[in-house]
Amino acid sequence: MAPAQADRSSHNDGGEWQDVGEGVRNNSLRANWRIFAVTLYMGISLFQYGFDKGAIAGFQAMPGFLQIFGYQTPSGEWAIKSGPQQIITSFMILGSIIGSLLTGVIGARIGRRYSLMIGCVLMIVCVVIMAETTSFAALYASRLLIGVANGILLNFTIVYLQECTPPHFRGLCLSMVTCWIAIGTTIGMVINNETNDIMSRKAYQIPLYICYPAPAILILTLPFLPETPRWLLQHNRPEEALKSLRFFRKGAYDEVALQQEFEAMKSIARREAEVKNDWRLFFELFKGTNLRRTIIAVSVGTANAGVGAMFILSFGTYFFKVAEVGDPFQWIIVTNCLGLAGLFTTWCIVTHIGRRRIIIAGCIMCTVSMLVMAILYSVPGVNTHGAGIGLVVIVSIYVFGFNFGLEPYVYLVAGEMPSQKLRAYTMGLSTAVSFTFAWLSAFTTPYFINPTELNWGPKFGYIWFGSGIIVTSFIWYFLPEVRGRTLEEIDEMFRSRVPTKEFPKHVCLENQEARERGLMNVIGDDKPGATHVEATSKH
């Protein structure tokens, strides 16, 4: 088979068994059951992050919580001041920024698995504090630290799967694992709805205590999961790396395909071996071809905040209550279930059309929804009931689009773009910047929607419509499509300065050479007079 033909066949999504040069791999779901099992398992670490978004947002409309951290109005209703409302939401995001920025440093030292365990321990401690305290200071501190834990768990979960998943299923696996965020959010909302009428601290303590099983399970089981092969190669442990790769590819790759992928990983590890692995590595993000990768990863990472996600997701329950659309807890559950439908829909198409078009579609749905919502509440003469129903429909479309095209894929892109050595640093920076914009949104939103402040209500959507236009335009012009490409191929294309539109059809020569070496690793010694390619090749 000619080299160019071999490269194209590796990206064919039509059949099950596919020729990869001289090796073959099985792209059926059944053959790759191991990586899907690991994906579902790793998703447990994102459950609490989603649960936090669903539960804590609901606490702000829960009398049992407001009796401790709110105030009673002259009419007898329980409410919360804008100051604590800002801090409760924004401190978690601020902590997530800190946790994300620590990703590169922590991951370089102790690996992906043990970093996740640190996040789990911190999570359990914070949940205990939050459930038992009646002090604002302790509540704020726990919100900050739980954000640090969320930042660590989110980033290392994504990085772990990025470094283990076969290229054909990388988009699907990242979409599946981030589904746990939406599942956690939905379960948090459902539990809030059930405990909302409890007129005591148990109303919010019960949802918090339900957070325990997820981090506890991970702490007990993560030591039995292999470290990622790419991290092991980066730390000069090739035997363990090959063993790890065999674990993830067993039943799907034959020996030749396995060796070919391993040789490509080794090439990157050798190239990056000369770069010192310390805090100075952070500054490599802004040098040479790495700068382009960093700009793309960080800019796409801000898409979640840029289309107004915190406006809808963090204040949804409170917003529905102010808009008088009926039971806010029940309506927010309905909209979130539609968001889950968006996630499940994207599973069916991501391996066929790629992530670029899906992200653009999600941005368009969210941006247009913001405009329609703002217009609906700007038109004079619309009665309250009609506007409320319209609000529910628009928010439902927004949440569907957000989960369909944004929530999974901004993290996927942030992990795909960087070089191996800088993956954790770039992922952490992208997430930190995203959380920074989310924090600004969460911190300022109460001023815009709170009746005691500007009282813009849904008209705040005009701001996010303009922001969404900017986000969509950037993705259209600068985000390359890397569907089916290995992380090593993506690295080569960036180093070769391939234009954005040329990514899908570019032929990677280094990848072909790695396939030749992988083939010789298996059959070279069995052929009379054969010379091992790796011994004679210099890179």
Side-chain angles (χ1 to χ4, degrees), residues 271-287:
R271 179 179 294 106
E272 297 181 343
E274 298 178 359
V275 182
K276 292 186 178 180
N277 194 19
D278 57 26
W279 61 272
R280 288 171 293 185
L281 200 58
F282 179 82
F283 297 101
E284 294 294 323
L285 296 175
F286 311 101
K287 296 179 180 179

Side-chain angles (χ1 to χ4, degrees), residues 304-516:
N304 282 358
V307 297
M310 296 306 295
F311 173 46
I312 298 296
L313 302 180
S314 290
F315 296 93
T317 308
Y318 173 81
F319 196 38
F320 281 159
K321 180 180 179 181
V322 173
E324 299 180 356
V325 295
D327 189 331
F329 287 96
Q330 292 182 1
W331 279 120
I332 201 67
I333 291 172
V334 171
T335 59
N336 206 68
C337 287
L338 289 173
L340 280 174
L343 270 174
F344 297 147
T345 301
T346 197
W347 291 4
C348 303
I349 62 176
V350 63
T351 58
H352 301 291
I353 69 173
R355 61 274 283 135
R356 183 175 182 274
R357 282 183 283 180
I358 291 177
I359 295 175
I360 291 173
C363 286
I364 292 174
M365 280 190 278
C366 292
T367 302
V368 172
S369 295
M370 285 294 188
L371 177 62
V372 174
M373 178 176 64
I375 292 175
L376 176 66
Y377 275 80
S378 300
V379 175
V382 178
N383 62 63
T384 303
H385 178 73
I389 296 301
L391 177 66
V392 171
V393 173
I394 293 167
V395 170
S396 298
I397 295 172
Y398 179 96
V399 175
F400 179 92
F402 179 78
N403 284 277
F404 172 81
L406 286 168
E407 180 79 314
Y409 298 111
V410 295
Y411 303 122
L412 173 62
V413 169
E416 286 181 327
M417 296 298 111
S419 64
Q420 173 58 32
K421 198 86 169 182
L422 299 176
R423 181 160 294 110
Y425 286 92
T426 309
M427 180 76 198
L429 178 63
S430 174
T431 309
V433 173
S434 175
F435 277 128
T436 299
F437 280 96
W439 175 78
L440 288 172
S441 173
F443 193 80
T444 58
T445 292
Y447 285 119
F448 289 92
I449 68 173
N450 199 304
T452 62
E453 303 294 342
L454 293 179
N455 195 26
W456 282 15
K459 295 178 183 179
F460 193 33
Y462 283 123
I463 300 294
W464 296 116
F465 170 71
S467 177
I469 290 292
I470 296 173
V471 170
T472 307
S473 299
F474 177 88
I475 293 172
W476 177 271
Y477 287 107
F478 296 104
L479 178 64
E481 179 57 69
V482 293
R483 175 175 64 96
R485 297 284 192 172
T486 66
L487 298 179
E488 289 70 31
E489 287 177 300
I490 297 171
D491 179 76
E492 180 181 343
M493 287 189 285
F494 273 111
R495 284 188 286 105
S496 300
R497 303 179 187 274
V498 176
T500 299
K501 294 182 179 180
E502 300 297 320
F503 267 63
K505 58 184 178 182
H506 183 77
V507 177
C508 296
L509 299 179
E510 292 180 9
N511 184 64
Q512 294 175 4
E513 295 172 359
R515 287 175 176 171
E516 293 173 5

Side-chain angles (χ1 to χ4, degrees), residues 9-124:
S9 66
S10 68
H11 304 132
N12 174 23
D13 294 330
E16 293 187 354
W17 283 98
Q18 295 181 13
D19 194 350
V20 186
E22 295 295 334
V24 289
R25 67 180 181 184
N26 190 327
N27 279 340
S28 68
L29 299 177
R30 181 176 181 180
N32 290 271
W33 69 268
R34 281 177 179 249
I35 194 62
F36 290 111
V38 171
T39 297
L40 293 175
Y41 163 79
M42 293 298 293
I44 297 174
S45 64
L46 301 185
F47 173 85
Q48 201 282 332
Y49 172 60
F51 190 93
D52 185 275
K53 290 200 299 183
I56 298 301
F59 289 176
Q60 300 175 46
M62 186 178 288
F65 180 82
L66 298 176
Q67 288 175 5
I68 307 298
F69 299 105
Y71 68 96
Q72 195 168 24
T73 65
S75 63
E77 297 290 327
W78 288 97
I80 187 170
K81 294 180 179 179
S82 60
Q85 188 180 38
Q86 288 174 321
I87 296 175
I88 289 171
T89 301
S90 63
F91 264 36
M92 190 279 288
I93 302 172
L94 183 61
S96 298
I97 296 171
I98 298 172
S100 297
L101 291 175
L102 292 173
T103 299
V105 177
I106 296 174
R109 298 292 180 184
I110 64 174
R112 313 324 189 191
R113 293 179 306 158
Y114 293 111
S115 298
L116 286 168
M117 293 176 68
I118 290 175
C120 289
V121 172
L122 185 58
M123 179 70 65
I124 290 175

